[in-house]
Amino acid sequence: MVEIRLRQLVIAAEKLDVAAALAEVLGLGEPFPDPGVAEFGLVNRVYAIGDQFLEVVVPTALTAPAGRFLARGGDGGYMAIFQTDDLAAARARVDALKIRRVWNIDLPDISASHLHPADVGAAIVSIDEARPAASWRWGGPGWETRASAGKLTGAVITSDVPDRLAARWGAALGVDAKGSMLQLTDAVLEFREGTQERLAAFRVSVRDAGSAIARAKALGLEVSGTQARIGGVDIVFG
């Protein structure tokens, strides 16, 4: 089995207020605004949580891909970024599957390929190889000093045929699907039945989930049990 980590989850939103709410509820540190995302017609905020990352992107033009995403369904889960130690093999695998790579980059410290959401389903999937493995250019300089305690433990993706979508994501990532689940090195992807293909929920472990829920209620966010809805995504604590 391929060793592959969940390294970053991304929300697309109409306003950066979503980033502020996410930071308030989760107790996140100072964000990194990455000037590089201007290439995609975006502004963003990237937060480090442990050695993983949560990002909110906001399109600067409705013609940007994220703008079209918002026009179809509003704020929501937009992208999932996975880390491999062999991107060359991953690129060969997705090419053989006829999954289009819509963006590729090779820098001294990181290489990445974005996969077309129409080919994998539900969201943009990015497969990245960082050098060294513990680094992460997309988190910005000094992200280690800005990281808050916590961990991304998984995500929920919805589809009208969840097993089929799980198999497609698994094929792209090089991970065998077990029914509607993908077990990664450090996280679990769960595929559930839903009316839309959507990156619907992020599973997050934080030091004090009760306080996070209380902060979400204070902000007037939709809360149910141990989850709060932020930017069209259910943030599930525990």
Side-chain angles (χ1 to χ4, degrees), residues 13 30 33 37-38 63 93 108 120 224:
E30 182 183 352
V37 299
T63 53
R93 181 175 61 251
V120 293
S224 176

Side-chain angles (χ1 to χ4, degrees), residues 149-173:
K151 179 178 172 58
L152 306 181
T153 61
V156 176
I157 302 98
T158 57
S159 169
D160 59 347
V161 188
D163 285 9
R164 185 174 64 192
L165 188 59
R168 190 62 172 167
W169 278 51
L173 295 173

Side-chain angles (χ1 to χ4, degrees), residues 93-174:
R93 181 175 61 251
V94 299
D95 290 349
L97 291 166
K98 300 194 183 307
I99 295 173
R100 288 167 287 178
R101 292 189 271 135
V102 294
W103 185 77
N104 302 281
I105 194 166
D106 292 286
L107 300 170
D109 60 330
I110 201 164
S111 296
S113 289
H114 294 183
L115 310 184
H116 200 303
D119 294 348
V120 293
I124 299 171
V125 167
S126 182
I127 306 177
D128 298 33
E129 180 181 347
R131 296 176 291 272
S135 67
W136 200 247
R137 169 184 280 260
W138 317 132
W143 61 261
E144 298 90 342
T145 63
R146 294 181 277 105
S148 61
K151 179 178 172 58
L152 306 181
T153 61
V156 176
I157 302 98
T158 57
S159 169
D160 59 347
V161 188
D163 285 9
R164 185 174 64 192
L165 188 59
R168 190 62 172 167
W169 278 51
L173 295 173

Side-chain angles (χ1 to χ4, degrees), residues 5 7 48-53 134 136 143 147-148 150-151 186:
R5 291 192 62 200
R7 203 68 198 273
I49 178 166
D51 69 346
Q52 298 162 296
F53 302 85
W136 200 247
W143 61 261
S148 61
K151 179 178 172 58
D186 61 346

Side-chain angles (χ1 to χ4, degrees), residues 30-120:
E30 182 183 352
F32 170 58
D34 184 357
V37 299
E39 175 184 350
F40 306 106
L42 302 170
V43 293
N44 76 340
R45 299 291 184 269
V46 182
Y47 298 91
I49 178 166
D51 69 346
Q52 298 162 296
F53 302 85
L54 286 166
E55 179 182 5
V56 176
V57 299
V58 173
T60 55
L62 292 178
T63 53
R68 296 194 297 272
F69 170 86
L70 293 172
R72 288 193 300 271
D75 293 3
Y78 183 62
M79 184 177 186
I81 305 178
F82 301 94
Q83 182 175 351
T84 182
D85 59 3
D86 190 349
L87 183 58
R91 285 172 169 169
R93 181 175 61 251
V94 299
D95 290 349
L97 291 166
K98 300 194 183 307
I99 295 173
R100 288 167 287 178
R101 292 189 271 135
V102 294
W103 185 77
N104 302 281
I105 194 166
D106 292 286
L107 300 170
D109 60 330
I110 201 164
S111 296
S113 289
H114 294 183
L115 310 184
H116 200 303
D119 294 348
V120 293

